[in-house]
Amino acid sequence: MANYDYDLFVIGGGSGGVRAARVTAGLGKKVGVAEEYRYGGTCVIRGCVPKKLFVYASQFPEHFEDAAGYGWSVPKSTFDWPTLIANKDREIARLEELYRRGVAGNGGDTFSTRATLVDAHTIRLEGENRTVTADQILVATGGRPNPHAALPGHELCIFSDEAFDLPELPKSIVIAGGGYIAVEFANIFHGLGVETHLVYRGKEILSRFDMDLRRLLHETMEKKGIHIHCETHFERIERREDGRLAAHLMDGGVLVADQVMLALGRIPNTENLGLEAAGVELGKLGEIIVDAYSRTSVKNIWAVGDVTNRVQLTPVAIHEAMCFVDTAFRGKKTVPDHDCVATAVFSQPEIGTVGLSEDEAAHRFADLEIYRAHFRPMRNTLAGRDERTLMKIVVDAETRLVLGVHVLGPDAGEMAQLLGIALKAGLTKEDFDRTMAVHPTAAEELVTMYSPSFRLKDGNRVG
Ligand code: NDP
């Protein structure tokens, strides 16, 4: 074997790249990783982590309101955006350092520079103006918000990246999109007291989720005061004389706000990386094409995470990285398992979901039982909050297998994690039924729905 500087060189210090680098270095291999921005990647620096902190921040007004029903009187509250930003930044910096140290502590080299490929074994460290060589190379450069460059006035808009560091909290915002980011940020901004509009091109927000949950979340968000405009889209964005922005909609409407945010999906970071020089094949959206083992069209170059545009979720990138290490360095060929991935939308209330929605299951199974529970969670009773929880179980009537479980309500994300184990284990409805309830909880409904709410035969509702 040729003599390389590194056994593995990783381009991109996000969740997938850092995990692969840290674990491979832990195996005693010579590992280098380069990150051009900040270690931790999207998830830690401008994604999941700061988002969740913002979600917590935005929930306090409702907690203060609810306290009265439990006998508390809460003095008039005030909110300070710069305090939230500063505290968030401190926490992110702490995590960033942990990520970097995770690699360095296992003997890996960390570089703070952009890295590009010169050929299949040579990496250029741009900031250091030198090259290094590696036997195996992993590209884990993630993605970025779709800039939506065809939209006139798109340069006036912000993306989720900027939303984490706005110099001041806007009084009003218009958000385009109906996916995870748009819905989560609509709830965050509304909770922080911002007049919030959500503009979505489709009939109902969150197109990839179960329709019952989508409808109930939409209704609940509107009751809270979020303005949702479906079946329309931006035609153009203009800056007005007073400095505010006017979002002109396709249906003729105009929404005026301090900020306009685009959350229209994310695209892979593959430009100017030298991938072509190395012979790495890209797909239509610029994503790196990989085989089942995350290997690219070049034998010693691999890719994991959002840059491959498979499932854009942090835990998936980490799982792919672990499988890559098994395959490339532990002599144990391992295919990442993308089936039945549990996920949560940190809307308010939350969505937690795993497996097939009712509609997806109806396309694939001839005979289904649907179990539904729709109730006011106990916490909301004394609080006087009229928000309801929805739980839904989709069962294949022939095999009795639970195909999907969907929850809208407080802590649904936490429930989804455990439901993920149940579905991955291939449990049947009878397994759910013979599981003792934990009382009093909301989750107990998941094991006490004994009779189907209705049945679907060949896609048609019966009974
Ligand atoms: P999503 O794919 O969730 O949503 C994109 C939204 O933009 C959809 O509503 C889509 O509409 C709409 N859209 C796409 N293209 C256009 C267009 N040309 N014109 C108008 N509307 C358009 O992406 P996000 O940007 O919200 O998030 C990116 C990814 O990050 C997610 O897919 C998710 O995997 C991940 N993420 C996960 C989170 C979590 O786990 N909680 C939180 C945040 C992000 P349509 O549905 O009609 O196609």
Side-chain angles (χ1 to χ4, degrees), residues 51 146 148 177-182 184 200-202 207-208 233 263-266 311-313 343-346:
K51 181 274 307 290
N146 183 342
H148 215 59
Y180 283 87
I181 296 179
E184 291 181 342
Y200 173 51
R201 67 177 173 184
S207 56
R208 303 187 217 164
H233 187 43
L264 304 169
R266 294 176 60 85
V311 182
Q312 295 177 351
L313 293 172
T343 180
V345 183
F346 293 99

Side-chain angles (χ1 to χ4, degrees), residues 256-441:
V256 177
D258 296 336
Q259 295 284 1
V260 175
M261 174 170 157
L262 303 183
L264 304 169
R266 294 176 60 85
I267 53 174
N269 280 331
T270 47
E271 288 96 349
N272 307 320
L273 272 180
L275 292 165
E276 302 79 2
V280 174
E281 202 183 321
L282 301 182
K284 280 202 191 82
L285 302 169
E287 77 279 16
I288 296 183
I289 295 176
V290 288
D291 69 8
Y293 297 97
S294 304
R295 193 193 290 264
T296 70
S297 52
V298 179
K299 209 168 103 249
N300 69 308
I301 302 183
W302 313 69
V304 296
D306 287 3
V307 75
T308 63
N309 199 27
R310 285 177 282 183
V311 182
Q312 295 177 351
L313 293 172
T314 299
V316 174
I318 292 173
H319 173 71
E320 289 167 359
M322 296 298 283
C323 294
F324 154 72
V325 176
D326 279 351
T327 304
F329 291 102
R330 285 197 175 115
K332 197 170 73 175
K333 286 183 90 179
T334 310
V335 173
D337 180 356
H338 293 114
D339 191 35
C340 212
V341 177
T343 180
V345 183
F346 293 99
S347 45
Q348 300 172 34
E350 282 174 24
I351 285 182
T353 181
V354 56
L356 301 181
S357 66
E358 178 186 324
D359 288 344
E360 284 168 336
H363 278 107
R364 287 163 56 176
F365 295 84
D367 194 357
L368 293 173
E369 288 178 357
I370 309 293
Y371 297 76
R372 275 173 108 254
H374 187 221
F375 58 94
R376 187 147 80 133
M378 191 196 259
R379 192 181 180 286
N380 287 352
T381 53
L382 294 200
R385 182 167 294 284
D386 184 29
E387 257 179 52
R388 300 175 86 78
T389 285
L390 177 64
M391 293 183 177
K392 195 165 166 186
I393 306 182
V394 180
V395 178
D396 176 11
E398 274 170 33
T399 61
R400 310 299 303 150
L401 275 180
V402 175
L403 303 173
V405 186
H406 313 282
V407 181
L408 175 76
D411 304 318
E414 302 289 339
M415 292 181 214
Q417 181 62 83
L418 304 178
L419 289 164
I421 303 172
L423 264 72
K424 205 76 200 158
L427 298 190
T428 63
K429 181 65 172 61
E430 281 61 41
D431 294 318
F432 275 57
D433 290 348
R434 65 192 176 80
T435 301
M436 199 68 78
V438 178
H439 185 70
T441 63

Side-chain angles (χ1 to χ4, degrees), residues 58-75 77 190-191 223-224 379 382-387:
S58 67
Q59 286 172 334
F60 281 96
E62 288 195 354
H63 295 329
F64 298 150
E65 261 174 48
D66 292 356
Y70 287 89
W72 292 92
S73 51
V74 180
S77 57
H190 170 76
K223 269 197 204 152
K224 286 179 194 283
R379 192 181 180 286
L382 294 200
R385 182 167 294 284
D386 184 29
E387 257 179 52

Side-chain angles (χ1 to χ4, degrees), residues 75-138:
K76 188 174 171 340
S77 57
T78 58
F79 172 67
D80 186 51
W81 173 254
T83 302
L84 173 65
I85 301 292
N87 290 347
K88 176 266 296 178
D89 285 345
R90 196 163 355 100
E91 176 58 8
I92 298 309
R94 186 183 72 83
L95 294 173
E96 181 184 7
E97 188 48 27
L98 285 180
Y99 264 65
R100 183 195 293 273
R101 265 197 272 147
V103 178
N106 278 293
D109 292 338
T110 56
F111 300 92
S112 292
T113 172
R114 182 170 176 81
T116 53
L117 293 173
V118 178
D119 60 41
H121 288 284
T122 312
I123 304 110
R124 175 162 198 81
L125 301 176
E126 302 284 346
E128 304 195 1
N129 208 12
R130 67 181 175 110
T131 56
V132 293
T133 57
D135 181 19
Q136 305 293 315
I137 293 172
L138 178 69

Side-chain angles (χ1 to χ4, degrees), residues 97-274:
E97 188 48 27
L98 285 180
Y99 264 65
R100 183 195 293 273
R101 265 197 272 147
V103 178
N106 278 293
D109 292 338
T110 56
F111 300 92
S112 292
T113 172
R114 182 170 176 81
T116 53
L117 293 173
V118 178
D119 60 41
H121 288 284
T122 312
I123 304 110
R124 175 162 198 81
L125 301 176
E126 302 284 346
E128 304 195 1
N129 208 12
R130 67 181 175 110
T131 56
V132 293
T133 57
D135 181 19
Q136 305 293 315
I137 293 172
L138 178 69
V139 183
T141 45
R144 63 183 188 283
N146 183 342
H148 215 59
L151 172 71
H154 67 97
E155 68 285 352
L156 301 170
C157 303
I158 59 166
F159 300 94
S160 53
D161 290 359
E162 289 87 26
F164 289 117
D165 292 298
L166 288 174
E168 60 187 47
L169 183 65
K171 289 196 172 52
S172 50
I173 192 163
V174 182
I175 302 176
Y180 283 87
I181 296 179
V183 169
E184 291 181 342
F185 269 96
N187 283 277
I188 288 170
F189 280 117
H190 170 76
L192 296 177
V194 179
E195 185 196 322
T196 303
H197 292 261
L198 186 69
V199 175
Y200 173 51
R201 67 177 173 184
K203 274 197 166 56
E204 189 53 280
I205 56 170
L206 289 173
S207 56
R208 303 187 217 164
F209 293 80
D210 187 273
M211 187 55 98
D212 277 340
L213 275 75
R214 294 164 64 189
R215 285 202 190 106
L216 184 57
L217 178 62
H218 182 141
E219 191 186 308
T220 312
M221 284 170 62
E222 283 198 322
K223 269 197 204 152
K224 286 179 194 283
I226 300 170
H227 309 279
I228 303 180
H229 313 260
C230 284
E231 295 187 89
T232 186
H233 187 43
F234 291 170
E235 192 237 317
R236 66 182 194 283
I237 313 295
E238 283 172 355
R239 172 83 64 193
R240 301 183 351 149
E241 278 182 7
D242 63 2
R244 302 176 84 206
L245 296 172
H248 294 261
L249 307 182
M250 293 293 189
D251 62 11
V254 183
L255 300 170
V256 177
D258 296 336
Q259 295 284 1
V260 175
M261 174 170 157
L262 303 183
L264 304 169
R266 294 176 60 85
I267 53 174
N269 280 331
T270 47
E271 288 96 349
N272 307 320
L273 272 180

